[in-house]
Amino acid sequence: MTQTTLHYTVEVASLHAHLYRIRLTIPVPAAQQVVSLPVWIPGSYLVREFAKNLQHLQAQQHGKACAISQQDKCTWAINCDADAPLSLTYEVYALDNSVRTAWLDASRGFFNGTSLCLRVHGQEQQTHHLQVMPVVSQATWQVATGLHPVKVNKQGFGTYSAADYDELVDCPVEMGTFWRGEFTACGVHHQFVVAGALPSFDTARLLADTQKICETEIQFWHGAKGSLQDTPHKRYVFMLNAVDDGFGGLEHRNSTALICGRRDLPRVGEPQTSEGYTTLLGLISHEYFHTWNVKQLRPFELARYDYSQENYTPLLWFFEGFTSYYDDLLLRRAGLIVDAVYFKLLNKTINQVMQTPGRQVQTVAQSSFDAWVKYYRQDENTPNATVSYYTKGALVALCLDLTLRASRVATLDDVMRGLWQRCKAGPMQEADVLTVLQELTGRSWKKKIKAWVHSTAELPLRALLTAQGLKVHDDEAQMAQRLGLRAVDGAAGVQIKVVLRGGAAERAGLVSGDEWLGLEVGARGQGGSWRLNKLDELKVLLGTEKKLTAWVSRDKRLLRLPLSLPPKSVTWRLSVPADRKAGQWPGV
């Protein structure tokens, strides 16, 4: 360790109080050293105010306490000299069982550096060491992290190194009694750790399937002979927390933190692939693809992270949306799903966008920019005012890929690899996408990108899909879509969660939060009065009748709301002609 290496020691202060204790040693501080804790974590675009969990911050130099003055919500200035090491100690409360912050109890520990590690202003480019101390009461605990080990014991406790602050906080740490497995993909060593799994968990299958995903994606970016010399990561760690109910992931430079339901893991003796396990494989594929697309290829605006505030970019439609397009497509190329499953997943994405009125209000570029205040702060009006840069971004990728393939000049694969060669390990702008497209095809794509990304015009999905031989069916939609609402059935009645813009439910005056208790059938109730527990019961209760009066409870008041059923609405269903052979879909 050099004289300028910053050193963090992380230990458990109290398992049951969920407290980490951190000691930060700054060998050569500034005369008035400023430190701060990030307000957000890259990859999750919301100000989360991690400093709210920091307490008991103290500083010492020359064996004496130093005065600390707080500058703002997450920044402190230490009144110290520049001629001697400065030591800071503090505690962090950790009880967020997600992939974004930190967790600590008697069964498991987990943290991201953005939650625990103060940033030393002016020394972000110095080497940073992280020492993870053993937990005396938990003798069986182990450690897993993507950080480079300097001196660790066989359980993984000890000192790790990061080249700078960005790397330190981009490598989460998992602690506990977890299952660990390993495999090699294209010469790259991979480790998979799973906490909280049931005894029936099929470890061999998860490893084999994940290996196929990793090999497929390395070869996607670097060709059939892709190897350790080509990849931006020389080792990789998957950290999966299996819980009763949960789902999500967060990408990092050479690791990912994942969460899933325990029942979604593959089970010994059950060779069929459940819907939940397919979704988990898609998550693994998605986060691993981010190793290239967002961790290396990076939005221009995020070339250097500002951890103190929002970092706006209009490009999440590319970095999240295109990754969402490829996550399932690469599962198909890896042979982990069949055509029918792939088209079902694609069909689901299409309907999610088509059934969102907000697609006619917000462009996908605006959705990207507004992620900080809209996507990550969803409420009952979100579907009416926004569109997801994940789902619509994936459909933009689909349209671009199918248009390119129809030209027989290039594919979206070529575009992605072209961008990798042009911008790898550096910032990327929309202009780079347009430049690579023009270089590959010899023509401008500005009009199409403007129409698909910067306007609310409908995407040419039907024409592009049918041109590839797919059939697009207009099936009768379920009752919720027909009425224009999203609801949850319950014993007390149907709970209205969302009322969609321009639908029959909005015209009738239904509001998010209403309890729909019952109805009178017919304009004058001539069809009788009925209790309502499930929305789909309407079809049976109404028969051929189109008018009803809804009995609604709102703020303890009972309301009667006349409602007219609109003409049947439709939902898309994709199918493949019977004479089409498996694997003939472009890109498979």
Side-chain angles (χ1 to χ4, degrees), residues 530-584:
W530 303 90
R531 187 78 167 84
L532 186 68
N533 294 110
K534 297 180 180 180
L535 196 60
D536 285 343
E537 291 175 346
L538 278 177
K539 192 171 184 180
V540 175
L541 295 174
L542 292 174
T544 59
E545 182 59 63
K546 304 299 181 188
K547 295 183 179 296
L548 62 104
T549 299
W551 292 353
V552 170
S553 172
R554 182 187 304 162
D555 192 30
K556 299 295 184 180
R557 299 175 61 196
L558 294 179
L559 307 176
R560 299 175 72 252
L561 304 177
L563 189 155
S564 298
L565 285 185
K568 292 180 181 180
S569 57
V570 299
T571 185
W572 282 30
R573 177 172 56 87
L574 306 180
S575 70
V576 184
D579 60 350
R580 189 180 184 121
K581 295 180 180 179
Q584 286 187 335

Side-chain angles (χ1 to χ4, degrees), residues 355-386:
Q355 294 167 15
T356 301
R359 77 185 190 281
Q360 299 172 327
V361 176
Q362 185 187 53
T363 72
V364 73
Q366 291 170 337
S367 173
S368 302
F369 197 86
D370 286 340
W372 298 89
V373 294
K374 293 189 176 182
Y375 184 82
Y376 281 92
R377 297 184 186 275
Q378 298 193 16
D379 58 26
E380 72 285 346
N381 192 49
T382 294
N384 296 320
T386 72

